[in-house]
Amino acid sequence: MTAGTLSNGKQKPLGVAEAVQKARDTFNSGRTRPVEWRKEQLRNLFRMYEENRNAMIDALHKDLRRSKMEATLLEVEYLINDLKDTLHNLDEWVKPTRPSKGFINIMDDVVIHNDPFGVALVIGAWNYPLQLLLLPMAGAIAAGNAVIVKPSELSVACATFVAETLPKYLDNDAVIVVEGGPEETTELLKQKFDYIFYTGGTNVGRIVYQAATKHLTPVTLELGGKSPVYIDNTVDINITAKRVLWGKYINAGQTCIAPDYVLCNKETQEKFLEAAKKVLKEWYGEDAQKSPDFCRIVNSRHFGRLQAILDTDKSKVAIGGKYDLQDKYIEPTIIANVKPGDKVMEDEIFGPILPIVPVENAYEAIKFINEREHPLVLYVFSNQKNIQNLFTEQTRSGSICFNDTIMFYGVDTLPFGGVGNSGIGAYHGKATFDTFTHKKSCLVKNFSPIGEKLASGRYPPYSDGNLSFITTLMRKRHGPSLKYLPYLLAFALGAGLSYGVVALNKMYTEEA
């Protein structure tokens, strides 16, 4: 938390309530509303990304032993490209929109204004500690909000980077970083916010949602769950193995949209295992622990959770299964012939362990999926259009992706978010701006005699004639567009008046 400076040059820390009040005072002053202020902040944020690329990559390596490739593509460049798109489109996004209108409002102006909510709280996650914090923060700024930013304390190096670097580039009165753990988060959730954006686990998501209801605060909850993969026998199994394993093992499986388990028949399972052995050896060599491209588990607690899964289901391990507590390393692992009641199927795995659950066909797979909570994403590998349509129509998930994993996340025109247990709300691209924007409806009437005549039937004394007239005006019509009708009416009125003036003038001339 930052405020003024102390004599030693360091920022004086703010209390949680004081930080929120400071942000609210700034928003209430109107400082964050002008589009130029928003663009200035976003340009400064862009400069921060450009000037601190190496520092961001180093912080990610310290927290997760993230390779330069994954750190750059999945966090740094992702943030940069999202910000470029926002800056390019912001002038257009902030413009009021004018929806269609009925005959009764034909002379009126019907407008939807894009208003900021006020003070937004953005709580980041430890698995992608920069992207999942700074991307929604940028959207909140673009929408004109003041923002309280809470990085995850589990990714220590990235939290430190954000706390030390962000205040050097952004308006410290409008964007305030709050550091700390559960105690500080609990205190934050006691405060009144105008919007809360949380990324993390479902259990904490429920706590955030419950706290938000006290003030009727709207929320976006980006959660997770067990995202399934279905594979049929029509696919190229070697390409399928690469795409599934890449999605699973980037960031050592610590990705909310990572494939959590595979559903396929036993014949496909054997082909997949054979292909997977070759792929993993090609990627990580004989010993993945020595590979510079394989991440580590974030801390000992999460390591212990994953170790317990491996120890319980070790008899079914088909590939991998080794681990090293000191290095927080868990080998890329595949568990075969898994049953629904096995430990690995209890909760979201969030690690480099991939179970395969045998099913006979797509119908059995759909039944299996529908008996569980709605996943954040569903992956389907099939060349059959009817199978793709079957999963689209008969399952519910935040997103669905065919014949690949993870890649849909990079399409910024696709809103990303969960459904049910996997989350509330969506963001990415313009959807991020819209998430932090209140769509304020506005009707603007004038004192035109035509408009007043059209609406005069509403006034007492009431009569059946007035009722019939008003209901006729209110009746929904779906013929030609009425968009230009006000101009035609104005033209007709003007033409009528002009004709009247000419006629009167002619009459007086003849009399003279």
Side-chain angles (χ1 to χ4, degrees):
M1 293 169 281
T2 59
T5 56
L6 299 170
S7 58
N8 58 8
K10 293 185 178 181
Q11 296 288 340
K12 178 183 177 182
L14 286 172
V16 168
E18 189 181 0
V20 176
Q21 187 59 52
K22 183 178 182 181
R24 187 163 301 285
D25 290 343
T26 302
F27 177 77
N28 288 341
S29 73
R31 187 193 303 184
T32 67
R33 285 179 174 268
V35 177
E36 192 48 50
W37 179 91
R38 308 181 200 184
K39 290 165 73 173
E40 179 186 7
Q41 299 305 305
L42 297 178
R43 285 191 291 264
N44 288 343
L45 184 61
F46 185 86
R47 186 163 55 86
M48 185 188 99
Y49 294 157
E50 291 284 4
E51 294 175 356
N52 293 276
R53 282 174 177 265
N54 291 335
M56 295 166 77
I57 292 169
D58 288 346
L60 290 163
H61 189 271
K62 288 177 182 176
D63 285 332
L64 296 155
R65 227 199 76 169
R66 185 84 60 79
S67 67
K68 182 179 179 181
M69 178 86 164
E70 289 188 13
T72 301
L73 294 181
L74 302 177
E75 304 235 20
V76 181
E77 281 297 322
Y78 195 92
L79 287 168
I80 288 173
N81 287 328
D82 177 80
L83 201 49
K84 283 182 179 178
D85 184 63
T86 300
L87 281 165
H88 178 74
N89 291 293
L90 188 58
D91 285 330
E92 189 65 30
W93 291 350
V94 299
K95 289 180 181 177
T97 56
R98 286 172 166 76
S100 60
K101 52 189 175 182
F103 195 87
I104 197 168
N105 296 117
I106 203 63
M107 301 300 294
D108 307 326
D109 199 7
V110 177
V111 188
I112 300 173
H113 293 283
N114 292 304
D115 266 13
F117 276 101
V119 179
L121 170 63
V122 177
I123 304 175
W126 58 263
N127 57 327
Y128 289 85
L130 298 179
Q131 184 220 126
L132 297 180
L133 179 76
L134 299 177
L135 192 149
M137 179 202 74
I141 293 171
N145 299 279
V147 192
I148 300 293
V149 181
K150 171 61 179 68
S152 172
E153 72 281 5
L154 299 185
S155 295
V156 179
C158 288
T160 300
F161 169 81
V162 169
E164 292 181 351
T165 311
L166 207 60
K168 297 176 182 177
Y169 291 85
L170 300 186
D171 185 333
N172 287 196
D173 294 328
V175 182
I176 302 173
V177 180
V178 173
E179 298 179 82
E183 183 179 342
E184 286 74 17
T185 303
T186 300
E187 187 61 30
L188 273 170
L189 293 174
K190 293 178 182 178
Q191 310 303 314
K192 184 183 186 304
F193 288 95
D194 301 297
Y195 204 94
I196 297 176
F197 191 108
Y198 167 78
T199 304
T202 302
N203 291 334
V204 177
R206 289 192 178 96
I207 295 171
V208 173
Y209 199 16
Q210 186 176 20
T213 61
K214 179 181 177 182
H215 300 291
L216 298 180
T217 301
V219 300
T220 291
L221 302 178
E222 294 297 339
L223 308 177
K226 295 182 76 65
S227 294
V229 180
Y230 174 71
I231 305 173
D232 73 10
N233 59 5
T234 67
V235 301
D236 184 314
I237 200 65
N238 292 310
I239 294 176
T240 297
K242 287 181 179 179
R243 293 177 180 180
V244 172
L245 297 178
W246 178 76
K248 180 63 178 181
Y249 296 129
I250 54 172
N251 203 32
Q254 299 167 116
T255 305
C256 62
I257 54 173
D260 192 89
Y261 62 94
V262 172
L263 297 167
C264 63
N265 63 35
K266 289 199 173 185
E267 181 184 354
T268 302
Q269 174 183 257
E270 294 310 310
K271 292 178 180 178
F272 182 85
L273 288 171
E274 184 180 347
K277 289 175 183 176
K278 295 176 182 177
V279 169
L280 292 174
K281 183 177 179 180
E282 178 186 330
W283 287 355
Y284 304 120
E286 294 289 347
D287 185 356
Q289 190 170 6
K290 296 177 181 178
S291 170
D293 299 325
F294 193 74
C295 295
R296 295 299 187 263
I297 306 306
V298 67
N299 59 28
S300 298
R301 181 171 65 85
H302 283 282
F303 180 92
R305 177 180 57 80
L306 295 167
Q307 180 186 343
I309 293 174
L310 288 176
D311 289 346
T312 303
D313 296 324
K314 61 184 176 183
S315 63
K316 296 181 179 180
V317 171
I319 297 175
K322 297 177 183 177
Y323 52 78
D324 181 346
L325 173 59
Q326 297 302 316
D327 193 26
K328 297 186 183 65
Y329 165 78
I330 291 181
E331 186 178 15
T333 299
I334 301 178
I335 303 177
N337 297 311
V338 170
K339 295 180 179 179
D342 290 350
K343 185 173 181 61
V344 72
M345 295 300 294
E346 289 179 358
D347 297 303
E348 183 179 7
I349 297 168
F350 228 68
I353 303 169
L354 182 65
I356 302 178
V357 181
V359 294
E360 290 298 322
N361 50 48
Y363 296 98
E364 189 177 333
I366 288 171
K367 182 175 183 293
F368 188 93
I369 292 165
N370 287 341
E371 288 173 345
R372 287 153 179 81
E373 297 285 0
H374 304 314
L376 184 55
V377 58
L378 169 60
Y379 298 112
V380 178
F381 284 79
S382 174
N383 281 322
Q384 302 179 85
K385 191 67 178 177
N386 63 314
I387 295 298
Q388 294 180 7
N389 290 339
L390 197 67
F391 278 91
T392 301
E393 294 167 2
Q394 297 192 14
T395 63
R396 286 189 67 202
S397 56
S399 301
I400 189 166
C401 181
F402 294 102
N403 300 326
D404 209 336
T405 64
I406 308 295
M407 297 300 290
F408 76 97
Y409 189 85
V411 184
D412 59 13
T413 51
L414 289 175
F416 171 73
V419 59
N421 212 56
S422 58
I424 298 170
Y427 71 125
H428 283 187
K430 186 177 184 294
T432 311
F433 172 84
D434 288 338
T435 285
F436 289 100
T437 300
H438 169 61
K439 304 299 180 180
K440 184 166 69 178
S441 301
C442 180
L443 172 66
V444 182
K445 298 183 73 72
N446 57 34
F447 294 97
S448 160
I450 296 177
E452 177 61 16
K453 183 63 179 175
L454 289 173
S456 63
R458 62 183 164 158
Y459 301 139
Y462 301 132
S463 68
D464 289 342
N466 284 353
L467 178 61
S468 177
F469 179 65
I470 288 292
T471 54
T472 299
L473 291 179
M474 292 175 62
R475 189 171 298 131
K476 290 293 182 182
R477 296 169 175 83
H478 300 287
S481 172
L482 301 177
K483 180 178 181 180
Y484 297 106
L485 187 57
Y487 303 104
L488 292 174
L489 290 173
F491 175 79
L493 179 63
L497 289 172
S498 298
Y499 179 79
V501 169
V502 170
L504 286 171
N505 197 28
K506 183 177 179 181
M507 181 179 70
Y508 288 133
T509 302
E510 289 174 351
E511 289 178 353

